[in-house]
C-alpha cells in the first residue's frame, strides 16, 4: 500500500482535509452550517469594506476642502440636524442588516435537527476520548492521542513515518500536530448529535471545515450537531487554553461511506485495531479504484 501511494503529495492531504500550505481564509466547507458561516463572513466583509472606503473618502474630502489653506476663515457651523440623524440611524440599520442573518445562523447551529446517531466527545489533559452511545454500538469507547514528538523534530518525523507506514499512507497524510492514533469515524450523509464535556478543565471542540466550535466543560454536557456531505479526513484542535499541552490535543474526524462505517462499527466492538486496519485497507482500495478511473479518463481524453 505504501508503494501504491508513494507518489501522493501534499495535494492529497489538501483534497481531503481542505488544508494547503500558506493557506488564507477558511478550510473547505463540508457541512451546510459551514457554508452559511462562509457566506456570512463574506457578507460582513463587504459591509466592512464599504464602510472603510466611505470613511476614507470622507477623510480625504475633509483634508482637501477644509484645510487651513483652502479655508483661511473657518465656518462657525456647530450643528447639522440631517447629519446627526444620519449618523445615528444608518449604523442602526447596518446592525439590523447584520443581525438578521447572524441570529438565523446562530439558531441553525443550536437547533439540533432529527439525528441518526449520537457521539460523546470528552476532553482530557491533553487528549480526546470518544464514546458511541447508541445501543447498536456496544458502548464503543476509545481515546485519541496525537502522533509525534513535539520536543524533538527528528523523533517527531520518525514517529509519524512509522505510523504512516503502518497505515499504508504517505507521510503527508499524517500532518504534524494534527494526526492522531485513533480517528473519530463517522458515516457520510448522516446527521450526528455531538455531546461534548470534559473531565478536568475547560476544553473546546473545534472542527473548522464543519463549522463546529463548542466548549467542553467539566460537569456539563453541551450539544451540537453536524452532517458531513463528503468523505475524507478533517482536522481540528482544542480551542480553549487548557494547560501546558493545549496545542497538542488535535481532533481528526474521518468521514467514510455508510457501508464502510457499518463494517468498521461491527468489527470495532470486538477489536478496534483490527477494525481500523480493515477500514484503512478499504479506503486505500477505494482510492486505487478512483485513481484508476481518473487515469482511464485522462487516457481517453488524450486519444
Amino acid at each position: 500500500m505504501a508503494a501504491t501511494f508513494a507518489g501522493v503529495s501534499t495535494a492529497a492531504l489538501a483534497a481531503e482535509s481542505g488544508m494547503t500550505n500558506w493557506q488564507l481564509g477558511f478550510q473547505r466547507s463540508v457541512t451546510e452550517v459551514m457554508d452559511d458561516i462562509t457566506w456570512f463572513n463574506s457578507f460582513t466583509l463587504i459591509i466592512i469594506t464599504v464602510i472603510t472606503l466611505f470613511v476614507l473618502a470622507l477623510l480625504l474630502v475633509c483634508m482637501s476642502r477644509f484645510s487651513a489653506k483652502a479655508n483661511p476663515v473657518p465656518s462657525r457651523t456647530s450643528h447639522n440636524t440631517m447629519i446627526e440623524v444620519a449618523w445615528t440611524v444608518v449604523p442602526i440599520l447596518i446592525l439590523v442588516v447584520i443581525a438578521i442573518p447572524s441570529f438565523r445562523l446562530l439558531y441553525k447551529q443550536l437547533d439540533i435537527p432529527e439525528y441518526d446517531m449520537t457521539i460523546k466527545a470528552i476532553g482530557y489533559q491533553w487528549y480526546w476520548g470518544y464514546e458511541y452511545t447508541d445501543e447498536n454500538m456496544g458502548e464503543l469507547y476509545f481515546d485519541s492521542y496525537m502522533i509525534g514528538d513535539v520536543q524533538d523534530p527528528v523523533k517527531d518525523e520518525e514517529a509519524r513515518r512509522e505510523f504512516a507506514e503502518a497505515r499504508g499512507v504517505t507521510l503527508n497524510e499524517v500532518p504534524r500536530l494534527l494526526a492522531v492514533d485513533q480517528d473519530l469515524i463517522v458515516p457520510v450523509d448522516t446527521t450526528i448529535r455531538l455531546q461534548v464535556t470534559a473531565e478536568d478543565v475547560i476544553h473546546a471542540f473545534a472542527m473548522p471545515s464543519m463549522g463546529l466550535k463548542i466548549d467542553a466543560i467539566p460537569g456539563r454536557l453541551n450539544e451540537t450537531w453536524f452532517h458531513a456531505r463528503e468523505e475524507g479526513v478533517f482536522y481540528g484542535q482544542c480551542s480553549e487554553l487548557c494547560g501546558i499541552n493545549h496545542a497538542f490535543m488535535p481532533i481528526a474526524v474521518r468521514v467514510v461511506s455508510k457501508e464502510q462505517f457499518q463494517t468498521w462499527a461491527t468489527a470495532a466492538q470486538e477489536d478496534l485495531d483490527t477494525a481500523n486496519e480493515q477500514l484503512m485497507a478499504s479506503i486505500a482500495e477505494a482510492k486505487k479504484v478512483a485513481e484508476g478511473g481518473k487515469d482511464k479518463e485522462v487516457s481517453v481524453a488524450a486519444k
Side-chain angles (χ1 to χ4, degrees):
M1 291 182 184
T4 301
F5 298 102
V8 180
S9 65
T10 307
L13 173 62
E16 287 192 331
S17 66
M19 299 184 302
T20 57
N21 292 331
W22 304 99
Q23 179 175 342
L24 295 176
F26 294 134
Q27 294 182 23
R28 179 171 55 84
S29 171
V30 294
T31 65
E32 186 178 339
V33 170
M34 190 59 196
D35 289 343
D36 290 351
I37 293 175
T38 303
W39 176 88
F40 185 70
N41 176 76
S42 302
F43 174 68
T44 52
L45 179 61
I46 292 172
I47 295 176
I48 292 169
T49 302
V50 171
I51 293 173
T52 302
L53 293 176
F54 177 70
V55 172
L56 176 62
L58 288 180
L59 289 173
L60 294 176
V61 169
C62 290
M63 291 167 62
S64 61
R65 293 188 57 184
F66 302 106
S67 63
K69 182 178 179 180
N71 289 276
V73 181
S75 169
R76 299 181 63 84
T77 303
S78 60
H79 294 283
N80 186 302
T81 303
M82 231 13 221
I83 291 179
E84 292 180 358
V85 170
W87 74 37
T88 302
V89 174
V90 171
I92 293 175
L93 294 177
I94 292 173
L95 290 177
V96 170
V97 170
I98 293 175
I100 292 174
S102 175
F103 289 150
R104 173 181 172 275
L105 176 57
L106 182 62
Y107 178 79
K108 189 172 187 177
Q109 291 177 299
L110 297 178
D111 182 46
I112 300 176
E114 184 176 352
Y115 51 90
D116 302 304
M117 63 181 298
T118 301
I119 296 175
K120 185 177 181 181
I122 307 170
Y124 299 93
Q125 289 181 309
W126 288 270
Y127 61 95
W128 290 93
Y130 301 110
E131 178 181 349
Y132 292 77
T133 61
D134 295 335
E135 292 183 2
N136 62 338
M137 295 300 294
E139 299 182 354
L140 177 61
Y141 175 89
F142 57 84
D143 294 326
S144 179
Y145 293 88
M146 188 187 75
I147 298 296
D149 188 326
V150 298
Q151 303 295 333
D152 189 332
V154 176
K155 291 183 179 179
D156 177 80
E157 183 171 343
E158 289 178 355
R160 292 189 298 115
R161 191 179 299 280
E162 289 178 3
F163 184 77
E165 292 176 355
R167 281 201 167 184
V169 298
T170 66
L171 184 61
N172 287 325
E173 294 177 87
V174 186
R176 182 175 181 271
L177 302 184
L178 291 175
V180 298
D181 59 349
Q182 302 285 356
D183 299 335
L184 175 61
I185 311 296
V186 299
V188 70
D189 289 328
T190 303
T191 300
I192 298 172
R193 179 179 66 165
L194 183 68
Q195 298 180 324
V196 183
T197 188
E199 185 69 20
D200 32 51
V201 299
I202 298 177
H203 301 278
F205 190 97
M207 181 60 58
S209 58
M210 297 181 182
L212 295 177
K213 189 173 187 297
I214 187 168
D215 283 343
I217 303 174
R220 178 172 176 174
L221 197 64
N222 287 334
E223 290 187 341
T224 186
W225 69 281
F226 65 95
H227 185 111
R229 59 172 176 259
E230 298 179 20
E231 296 180 31
V233 57
F234 307 96
Y235 296 100
Q237 292 177 303
C238 174
S239 295
E240 187 73 42
L241 187 58
C242 57
I244 187 172
N245 287 333
H246 158 68
F248 311 125
M249 51 180 300
I251 303 163
V253 177
R254 186 174 293 275
V255 184
V256 299
S257 69
K258 293 182 179 180
E259 294 77 13
Q260 288 174 328
F261 176 80
Q262 189 58 50
T263 302
W264 172 85
T266 302
Q269 296 176 40
E270 301 294 333
D271 189 332
L272 182 60
D273 292 334
T274 301
N276 287 335
E277 291 176 3
Q278 294 174 347
L279 177 63
M280 293 307 299
S282 174
I283 293 172
E285 183 63 27
K287 285 183 179 180
K288 187 176 180 180
V289 172
E291 290 296 327
K294 290 181 181 179
D295 290 342
K296 289 181 179 179
E297 291 178 2
V298 172
S299 177
V300 171
K303 291 180 179 179

